């Protein structure tokens, strides 16, 4: 269908169609009368609109609004089977894939562990194939897929940067190989950026145009949202704050080779057991205690992962992250004495780098996310907010993340859904 031109009936119909579809996404099933009221359309026009969308397969009749006085009215809802999307969260330890329908409902997921020598294309196709099969679909049913990785693909070279710790993802032909293996459009995004997308669409950053998300798990990273849009930078590396030089640590040179930086070494999870021990905090009993007591023990990495690597390997976390989470949760449960000193010292370390980000960007809020921040709860949040207020010229509110489970994966699905809805909901085509 030819593209609509301004002021034509086809354009007006398409605008009304999109408005109605967005209302159904927001409110759930609605009657013709309710849609007319919310859009300002007359009953005949609302009826024609619904008939048109039903014929296009975008809405379905879904029952009646029984229980109210008077005759029951037919309810209409988004057809969840009108399109499907996929999302993948790739970490050094595993690949997690999920499939969602057009309404955003996750209908299946599948996880595979990393195996030595595995290549990226094989990992992606296996994980995505498992999720698609569990959903009762075929890969060709997916309208779009978004893949989250640590680091970022340089838009000028197509090579993955800032993620040397991700095995099998550094072939110069990787993007071409994935495009050949997958039958649908595929997009790639930094994992911390997608955690911010999840918070913007589903969590603590809804309604905020300018915010920073600070993440700490396998690595320390940030996502920058300015004017409602992700800021990625020239090479895609905006937000790789773990590489920041900070007071309190020697300068790290050749940071991409070192795969670390001053802020990562100051406030990353690998240093928390040592900090706790220095302040007289004993590791809590449990599986994480061994890692906290002996950071160099087998199975515990000796160096931090890339500074922008959210989700950890299965377990659900690596030994270092599990040890840090256990120490922080213990301290937050009884924030006094050595526990309070530990939380205060960690808050100061986090604020040392965060204050620079705040000074440059002046965000409205800072969303705190990742297991090694969330575990500190309200005691850590309050201490960190007070420290940032002392170190930065502006004083943004610091808020806990609202998407606590699989934030990166949810962000990948939300990103895929946004693009898919723009295409599927455009009835002017």
């Amino acid at each position: 269908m030819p593209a609509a031109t301004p002021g034509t009936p086809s354009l007006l119909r398409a605008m009304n169609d999109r408005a109605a579809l967005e209302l159904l996404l927001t409110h759930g099933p609605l009657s013709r009368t309710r849609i007319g009221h919310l859009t300002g359309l007359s009953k005949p026009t609302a009826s024609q609109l619904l008939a048109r969308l039903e014929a296009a397969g975008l809405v379905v009749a879904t029952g009646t609004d029984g229980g109210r006085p008077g005759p029951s009215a037919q309810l209409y809802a988004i057809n969840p089977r009108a399109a499907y999307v996929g999302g993948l969260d790739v970490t050094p330890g595993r690949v997690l894939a999920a499939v969602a329908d057009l309404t955003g409902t996750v209908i299946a997921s599948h996880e595979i562990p990393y195996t030595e020598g595995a290549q990226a294309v094989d990992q992606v196709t296996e994980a995505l194939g498992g999720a698609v099969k569990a959903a009762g679909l075929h890969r060709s049913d997916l309208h779009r897929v978004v893949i989250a990785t640590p680091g970022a693909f340089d838009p000028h070279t197509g090579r993955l940067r800032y993620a040397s710790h991700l095995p099998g993802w550094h072939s110069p032909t990787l993007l071409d190989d994935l495009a050949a293996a997958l039958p649908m459009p595929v997009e790639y995004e930094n994992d911390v950026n997608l955690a911010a997308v999840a918070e913007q669409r589903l969590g603590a950053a809804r309604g905020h145009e300018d915010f920073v998300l600070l993440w700490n798990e396998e690595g320390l990273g940030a996502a920058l949202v300015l004017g409602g849009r992700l800021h990625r930078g020239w090479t895609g590396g905006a937000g790789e704050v773990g590489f920041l030089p900070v007071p309190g640590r020697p300068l790290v040179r050749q940071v991409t080779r070192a795969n670390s930086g001053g802020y990562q070494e100051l406030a990353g999870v690998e240093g928390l057991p040592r900090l706790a021990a220095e302040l007289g905090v004993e590791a809590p009993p449990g599986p994480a205690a061994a890692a906290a007591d002996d950071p160099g023990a087998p199975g515990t990495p000796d160096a931090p992962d890339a500074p922008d690597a959210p989700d950890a390997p299965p377990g659900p976390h690596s030994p270092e992250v599990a040890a840090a989470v256990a120490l922080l949760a213990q301290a937050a449960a009884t924030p006094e004495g050595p526990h309070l000193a530990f939380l205060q010292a960690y808050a100061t370390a986090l604020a040392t780098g965060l204050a620079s980000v705040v000074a440059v960007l002046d965000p409205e809020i800072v969303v705190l996310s990742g297991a090694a921040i969330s575990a500190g709860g309200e005691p850590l949040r309050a201490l960190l907010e007070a420290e940032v207020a002392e170190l930065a010229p502006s004083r943004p509110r610091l808020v806990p993340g609202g998407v606590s489970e699989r934030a990166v994966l949810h962000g990948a699905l939300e990103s895929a859904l946004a693009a898919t809805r723009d295409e599927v909901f455009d009835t002017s085509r």
Side-chain angles (χ1 to χ4, degrees):
M1 180 177 180
T5 55
T8 62
S10 59
L11 176 62
L12 295 175
R13 283 195 298 270
M15 292 172 63
N16 289 335
D17 291 348
R18 182 63 188 258
L21 290 166
E22 293 291 346
L23 286 170
L24 290 171
L25 275 177
T26 302
H27 297 280
L30 295 171
S31 67
R32 178 197 63 182
T33 301
R34 183 63 175 156
I35 289 174
H37 175 75
L38 292 172
T39 59
L41 299 174
S42 66
K43 287 184 179 180
T45 302
S47 295
Q48 293 170 5
L49 177 151
L50 286 168
R52 187 165 61 246
L53 294 179
E54 193 169 15
L58 293 175
V59 303
V60 291
T62 176
T64 62
D65 63 350
R68 295 184 178 184
S72 297
Q74 179 68 60
L75 296 177
Y76 295 87
I78 295 289
N79 180 6
R81 293 182 290 277
Y84 298 94
V85 301
L88 290 95
D89 178 15
V90 179
T91 76
R94 58 104 176 103
V95 178
L96 174 62
V99 172
D101 63 32
L102 190 60
T103 68
T105 300
V106 178
I107 54 178
S109 64
H110 184 71
E111 181 175 334
I112 62 168
Y114 170 73
T115 54
E116 188 70 29
Q119 295 302 304
V121 173
D122 297 330
Q123 296 174 55
V124 167
T125 54
E126 181 183 350
L128 186 61
V132 167
K133 181 178 180 181
L137 302 170
H138 301 283
R139 282 195 304 180
S140 59
D141 293 324
L142 298 185
H143 200 89
R144 182 178 301 270
V145 167
V146 171
I147 299 176
T149 69
F153 283 91
D154 189 318
H156 309 288
T157 67
R159 299 290 295 270
L160 183 64
R161 297 169 59 108
Y162 319 111
S164 60
H165 65 301
L166 192 63
W169 283 77
H170 298 278
S171 165
T173 63
L174 176 59
L175 297 188
D176 290 337
D177 295 341
L178 283 167
L182 299 173
M184 74 294 289
V186 181
E187 296 176 1
Y188 306 88
E189 184 60 84
N190 169 263
D191 42 15
V192 177
N193 282 352
L194 288 173
V197 169
E199 293 294 344
Q200 187 179 34
R201 305 273 173 80
L202 307 171
R206 281 181 293 185
H208 297 283
E209 293 287 303
D210 295 276
F211 71 93
V212 169
L213 180 138
L214 182 68
W215 179 284
N216 199 9
E217 273 192 17
E218 293 302 304
L220 190 57
L224 319 175
V225 177
L226 307 175
R229 293 176 171 272
L230 281 169
H231 178 72
R232 297 177 177 86
W234 179 247
T235 65
E240 296 284 352
V241 296
F243 292 121
L244 280 172
V246 294
R249 282 295 182 274
L251 282 176
V252 178
R253 300 186 184 274
Q254 301 292 324
V255 292
T256 54
R257 289 185 181 179
N259 206 30
S260 186
Y263 191 26
Q264 176 70 42
E265 295 188 357
L266 178 68
V269 295
E270 64 280 355
L272 289 181
R274 181 173 58 253
L275 177 63
E278 291 172 354
L279 295 170
V281 176
E282 296 183 2
D293 290 336
D294 184 6
T300 302
D302 294 323
D305 282 328
D308 206 4
D311 289 72
H317 299 302
S318 70
E320 281 186 321
V321 175
V325 167
L327 286 165
L328 288 165
Q330 172 184 259
T334 54
E336 54 191 32
H339 288 169
L340 180 58
F342 171 56
L343 291 174
Q344 180 66 68
Y346 180 41
T348 300
L350 287 172
T352 300
L354 180 57
S356 297
V357 178
V358 168
V360 172
L361 298 177
D362 188 22
E364 181 182 0
I365 63 170
V366 175
V367 179
L368 304 176
S369 193
I373 296 179
S374 301
E378 174 58 21
L380 177 62
R381 187 213 64 81
L383 291 167
L384 179 54
E385 186 171 68
E387 285 291 278
V388 171
E390 292 283 335
L391 299 175
S394 62
R395 299 184 177 186
R397 287 191 301 117
L398 272 59
V399 300
V403 184
S404 58
E405 298 293 331
R406 296 182 170 181
V408 173
L409 184 64
H410 281 296
L413 292 171
E414 285 296 317
S415 181
L417 283 166
T420 296
R421 288 166 181 163
D422 281 343
E423 296 170 359
V424 173
F425 287 176
D426 185 357
T427 58
S428 68
R429 299 182 180 185

